[in-house]
Amino acid sequence: DAKTTQPPSMDCAEGRAANLPCNHSTISGNEYVYWYRQIHSQGPQYIIHGLKNNETNEMASLIITEDRKSSTLILPHATLRDTAVYYCIVREGSQGNLIFGKGTKLSVKP
Amino acid sequence: GAGVSQTPSNKVTEKGKYVELRCDPISGHTALYWYRQSLGQGPEFLIYFQGTGAADDSGLPNDRFFAVRPEGSVSTLKIQRTERGDSAVYLCASSATGTSGKETQYFGPGTRLLVL
């Protein structure tokens, strides 16, 4: 079973920041937090991952709380093309597969 | 470079038939994963290859499902005696070594299987 909890859906206005929360209260010390997204009819796309520190790349920022029990994915300037299902995944360092939950369906609106 | 490719993109078959789904991973990636995604659900793990061998096949639902990767590159997922409940999108992913939790898995576009 997925070790994360996410809201089923969120809306965001185009051009505004989208903040997607994720709870992972049972995360252990060697588990990473991964974010993927899936645009309709496509395969999942990697966004970002982190262990303890906040991370930023060209797509998004990942903020992990100090106790690591929750995180937030931030899309700084959402566009219509960011409309997708966003998956937060907790993954052990040596684990092969990803365990997906149902994710958050983000709808970016004009 | 080229990403993960999967063929066919769509497959329609009849109940009881045999199907093969193909995955071409990113060149040089030793780890390959198969997932299955039903409508409205997240992808569900099926099997993970490290090179030519199946490192974890715990996600295969029953013995009608089988996968091979004979030369450590292309993989084929085989489904015997298909059932209507097998209808789903079958996703393939690859990663460089599969031995680090920091590694990114890159997904293909999937094969949409419909069993009538």
Side-chain angles (χ1 to χ4, degrees):
Chain A
D1 289 346
K3 297 178 69 172
T4 61
T5 304
Q6 298 176 254
S9 64
M10 291 182 64
D11 289 344
C12 178
E14 188 179 19
R16 304 298 291 266
N19 297 281
L20 291 91
C22 180
N23 287 324
H24 31 79
S25 58
T26 61
I27 194 170
S28 59
N30 64 344
E31 290 180 318
Y32 290 80
V33 179
Y34 274 77
W35 284 84
Y36 278 76
R37 74 179 182 184
Q38 190 171 25
I39 296 169
H40 184 61
S41 297
Q42 297 183 21
Q45 176 191 23
Y46 167 80
I47 302 173
I48 198 167
H49 74 279
L51 183 63
K52 295 180 182 178
N53 299 322
N54 298 337
E55 302 288 343
T56 296
N57 63 20
E58 64 278 5
M59 291 183 69
S61 294
L62 173 60
I63 308 299
I64 303 174
T65 57
E66 192 168 345
D67 64 7
R68 303 187 69 236
K69 293 185 177 182
S70 65
S71 60
T72 301
L73 179 75
I74 301 172
L75 307 178
H77 305 287
T79 71
L80 298 178
R81 288 177 293 181
D82 291 322
T83 291
V85 178
Y86 287 76
Y87 296 100
C88 171
I89 299 166
V90 165
R91 182 187 182 200
E92 188 183 39
S94 60
Q95 179 184 335
N97 58 291
L98 298 169
I99 301 175
F100 291 81
K102 291 190 176 183
T104 295
K105 184 174 182 179
L106 175 68
S107 298
V108 181
K109 303 189 174 181
Chain B
V4 177
S5 62
Q6 294 185 244
T7 54
S9 54
N10 293 280
K11 176 70 177 179
V12 181
T13 191
E14 294 179 343
K15 180 176 178 293
K17 298 290 188 182
Y18 167 83
V19 296
E20 289 189 352
L21 311 179
R22 176 187 168 110
C23 172
D24 281 81
I26 292 172
S27 178
H29 279 191
T30 61
L32 184 146
Y33 311 80
W34 283 98
Y35 296 81
R36 177 171 72 172
Q37 186 171 25
S38 300
L39 194 63
Q41 305 295 316
E44 178 186 25
F45 169 72
L46 294 176
I47 186 170
Y48 155 48
F49 284 91
Q50 185 60 258
T52 60
D56 181 356
D57 65 357
S58 62
L60 294 177
N62 52 59
D63 60 5
R64 295 187 297 106
F65 288 74
F66 189 70
V68 296
R69 196 186 184 200
E71 298 179 356
S73 178
V74 171
S75 176
T76 304
L77 178 66
K78 308 181 180 191
I79 310 174
Q80 298 178 324
R81 304 183 303 280
T82 53
E83 299 177 357
R84 292 193 180 88
D86 298 336
S87 297
V89 175
Y90 289 82
L91 294 160
C92 177
S94 71
S95 66
T97 69
T99 58
S100 167
K102 296 183 290 184
E103 278 194 355
T104 299
Q105 291 186 20
Y106 298 89
F107 283 80
T111 293
R112 285 154 189 77
L113 175 66
L114 177 61
V115 181
L116 299 177

